[in-house]
Structures are given as structure tokens and as C-alpha cells.
């Protein structure tokens, strides 16, 4: 007798688990990239609005952002900078109708980048980490954190030495002239100095990365400190925008200290891990490519001449 099965239940579909290695199709990558870019841009827009408002207002008892940025210029003696108000107030000069608005928008955008950096850095971190191993995630997070910290330290140093550098530059020939800076000129000088100091402070991190990769060892640099220090001073002399001696000395001295700390890290890391330079990196081109195979000897067997009948057929 045939058995009739009624009301049979279908097996429940299992939820597709995510790949443990973080791999996904190309379209999924593009969708995730679009979502994280939108979140980062939204955070940047909100930060820019906050910076634009903060430029002229003082929220939470803080000084206005425009006053903070204008601080090094206003710290100069009154006989060095020009007075445009007649009451001794510190003001910069504007030469075009939209200059003040554009400067406020530029400062607000820069403030927005800084204020929203935790969000867009988190989005970048979340996008690249699924494809990394556990140790790679740890090293990447450490290097990103150090890079941001070093850049901020360089920017702060540039801000604090700016008034000294301005005083040196603007007091030259002050007995016959008075310097009148526009907002565009002053902000461009300030931002270029901040960027140069911040980027220069990343040099020690590059040295550490080369050491961890096995490319640079402490034995290669321990006897070349004088040349390296001279090179750092030459670099600072060319890179400081105003070429004033105070900013140059401040940048060079800070870089010398940071580079020496990086060298000490290389010394400790080489001693701890006892890593050796790969042998192939010390070989010349011929030794690295290996022995060249000798060509096989040519057979000396004579070749039989063509038959005459073949030529007759052709003719």
C-alpha cells in the first residue's frame, strides 16, 4: 500500500554566514565604499558648518576660531603691524568683496576636516580591516594613530612658532615701512606652515616602517648622524615658507629629536628580534640572478645536399 505523506515541512534555509576572510563580490565592495563615502561626506559637511559658525562665535566658552587663528598676528607689537581701525584693534586687511566670506569658508572647511576626523578615519579603518589579518590590523591601527598624532604635534608646533617667525620677517626694515597683511596672505602662510610641519613630523614613522619591513637597520645609520642632521637642517631651510631662521631652527631641531627617537627604536627592535638583512639584497645583479646556463654544443653532423632531381622538378 502506497504511503502518502501530507504536510511535509521544507527544511529551513540557513542564513548565509559571512566569509571569515572578509571577502565579498565586487558590487558589494562598491556598495560598501559608496556607503562609507556618503557617511564621511555627511560628517565633513556637519563639521564644516560647525567650523563656519565657530569662526565668529564663541560656543561653550571657547574663543572664536577666527580669533584663535589670528592670534599669532595679533601678538606682534603694535608698531610692527598696520592699524586699520584707529582704535588699536587687531584686524587683517581685505582687498576684495568676497575675501572675508571665502576665508571664513576655507577655515570652516579645515575645521570640519579636523572635527570630523574621528568619523571618516573610522570609515576608512572599517573599509580596509576586513581584508587584513589580525597582526596587520594591529599594526595598521597603531601606524594610523601615530601618523595622526605626529601631524597634530607638528601643526601645534607651527602655530606656536608662527608669531616668532612673523616678528623676524615683519620687523626687517620696520623703521621705513609697516607691513600690512591681507587675510588671504596671512592664512595661506599659516596653513602652509602647518602642513609643512605636520608632514615633516611623519619622517620618523617612515623610518620605523622601513625598519620593521627589514629594509633599514640601525647599523646602516648609526655612523651617519652628522650627514643626516645636516640634511635635516637643509631640508628645513628649503621647506619653511618664510625662510625665517626661527621657524627653520624649530623645525630642524624637532626633526632631529624625532629621527633620533626613531633610530633608537630601530636599535632596540634589531637587538630584540635579531633580524638579518636578506642575503639576496646584498648580492650583485649576476649573483642574484643565479648561474647562467651554458648553451648546448652544436652538432657537427654534415647536412646532406639537396638532390638534383628536386631542382629539375622545380625548373
Amino acid at each position: 500500500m502506497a504511503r502518502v505523506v501530507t504536510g511535509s515541512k521544507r527544511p529551513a534555509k540557513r542564513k548565509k554566514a559571512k566569509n571569515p576572510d572578509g571577502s565579498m563580490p565586487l558590487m558589494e565592495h562598491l556598495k560598501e565604499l559608496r556607503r562609507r563615502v556618503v557617511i564621511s561626506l555627511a560628517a565633513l559637511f556637519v563639521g564644516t558648518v560647525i567650523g563656519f559658525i565657530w569662526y565668529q562665535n564663541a560656543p561653550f566658552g571657547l574663543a572664536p576660531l577666527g580669533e584663535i587663528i589670528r592670534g599669532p598676528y595679533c601678538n606682534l607689537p603694535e608698531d610692527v603691524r598696520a592699524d586699520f581701525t584707529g582704535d588699536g584693534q587687531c584686524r587683517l586687511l581685505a582687498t576684495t568683496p568676497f575675501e572675508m566670506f571665502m576665508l571664513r569658508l576655507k577655515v570652516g572647511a579645515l575645521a570640519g576636516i579636523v572635527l570630523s576626523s574621528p568619523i571618516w578615519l573610522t570609515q576608512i579603518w572599517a573599509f580596509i580591516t576586513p581584508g587584513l589579518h589580525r597582526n596587520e590590523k594591529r599594526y595598521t591601527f597603531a601606524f594610523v594613530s601615530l601618523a595622526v598624532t605626529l601631524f597634530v604635534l607638528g601643526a601645534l608646533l607651527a602655530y606656536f612658532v608662527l608669531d616668532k617667525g612673523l616678528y623676524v620677517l615683519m620687523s626687517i626694515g620696520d623703521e621705513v615701512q609697516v607691513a600690512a597683511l591681507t587675510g588671504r596672505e596671512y592664512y595661506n602662510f599659516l596653513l602652509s606652515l602647518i602642513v609643512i610641519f605636520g608632514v615633516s613630523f611623519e619622517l620618523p614613522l617612515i623610518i620605523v616602517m622601513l625598519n620593521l619591513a627589514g629594509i633599514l637597520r640601525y647599523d646602516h645609520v648609526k655612523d651617519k648622524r652628522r650627514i643626516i642632521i645636516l640634511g635635516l637642517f637643509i631640508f628645513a631651510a628649503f621647506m619653511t615658507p618664510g625662510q625665517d631662521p626661527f621657524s627653520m631652527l624649530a623645525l630642524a631641531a624637532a626633526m632631529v629629536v624625532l629621527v633620533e627617537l626613531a633610530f633608537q627604536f630601530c636599535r632596540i627592535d634589531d637587538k630584540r628580534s635579531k633580524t638579518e638583512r636578506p642575503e639576496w639584497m646584498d648580492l650583485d645583479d649576476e649573483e642574484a640572478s643565479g648561474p647562467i646556463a651554458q648553451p648546448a654544443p652544436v652538432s657537427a653532423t654534415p647536412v646532406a645536399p639537396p638532390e638534383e632531381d628536386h631542382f629539375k622538378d622545380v625548373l
Side-chain angles (χ1 to χ4, degrees), residues 6-250:
T6 58
S8 60
K9 296 182 179 179
R10 294 183 179 179
K13 293 183 179 180
R14 294 183 179 180
K15 186 177 181 181
K16 189 177 181 180
K18 295 183 178 180
N19 295 333
D21 58 351
S23 61
M24 62 177 65
L26 177 60
M27 293 304 299
E28 295 295 331
H29 272 295
L30 295 178
K31 290 180 180 179
E32 183 184 5
L33 178 62
R34 182 182 61 183
R35 181 173 62 87
R36 298 195 182 281
V37 169
V38 170
I39 295 175
S40 301
L41 292 178
L44 179 61
F45 176 77
V46 174
T48 301
V49 173
I50 295 175
F52 187 84
I53 298 174
W54 184 18
Y55 182 86
Q56 201 169 355
N57 299 277
F60 307 107
L62 300 174
L65 186 58
E67 183 178 343
I68 295 175
I69 296 178
R70 199 175 63 247
Y73 174 77
C74 295
N75 291 335
L76 297 174
E78 296 183 1
D79 57 344
V80 175
R81 51 183 171 83
D83 184 11
F84 302 108
T85 60
D87 54 0
Q89 293 184 4
C90 178
R91 293 289 187 273
L92 291 167
L93 181 64
T95 57
T96 59
F98 295 100
E99 182 175 349
M100 292 183 291
F101 174 79
M102 294 304 299
L103 289 176
R104 182 173 178 176
L105 184 61
K106 181 187 296 186
V107 174
L110 293 175
I113 295 175
V114 176
L115 294 176
S116 62
S117 59
I119 298 178
W120 55 263
L121 284 175
T122 302
Q123 297 301 316
I124 295 176
W125 174 253
F127 182 74
I128 64 176
T129 48
L132 300 178
H133 299 288
R134 181 176 300 177
N135 59 340
E136 293 175 342
K137 294 179 182 179
R138 183 173 64 253
Y139 285 129
T140 305
F141 180 77
F143 280 119
V144 170
S145 302
L146 287 175
V148 174
T149 303
L150 289 174
F151 187 89
V152 172
L153 290 177
L156 291 176
L157 179 61
Y159 178 81
F160 286 114
V161 304
L162 178 59
D163 55 347
K164 304 296 183 182
L166 279 178
Y167 178 76
V168 173
L169 295 174
M170 298 180 64
S171 61
I172 299 176
D174 57 350
E175 65 277 358
V176 296
Q177 61 184 6
V178 175
L181 292 180
T182 63
R184 182 187 299 108
E185 293 171 348
Y186 173 73
Y187 284 172
N188 289 338
F189 179 78
L190 171 63
L191 296 178
S192 60
L193 193 67
I194 287 176
V195 171
I196 289 172
F197 271 65
V199 174
S200 300
F201 271 46
E202 304 295 335
L203 178 60
L205 187 60
I206 298 176
I207 295 175
V208 172
M209 293 176 62
L210 294 176
N211 176 258
L212 294 177
I215 300 175
L216 179 65
R217 295 183 59 188
Y218 178 72
D219 294 338
H220 301 155
V221 296
K222 65 179 182 179
D223 298 329
K224 302 179 178 63
R225 279 186 170 84
R226 294 181 180 179
I227 300 177
I228 294 174
I229 292 175
L230 178 61
L232 292 177
F233 273 87
I234 295 175
F235 172 82
F238 277 99
M239 293 304 297
T240 47
Q243 280 77 40
D244 61 285
F246 192 85
S247 300
M248 182 197 71
L249 291 176

Side-chain angles (χ1 to χ4, degrees), residues 277-284 287:
R277 186 179 178 87
E279 297 180 357
W280 61 268
M281 298 188 68
D282 296 325
L283 299 177
D284 55 13
E287 294 178 349

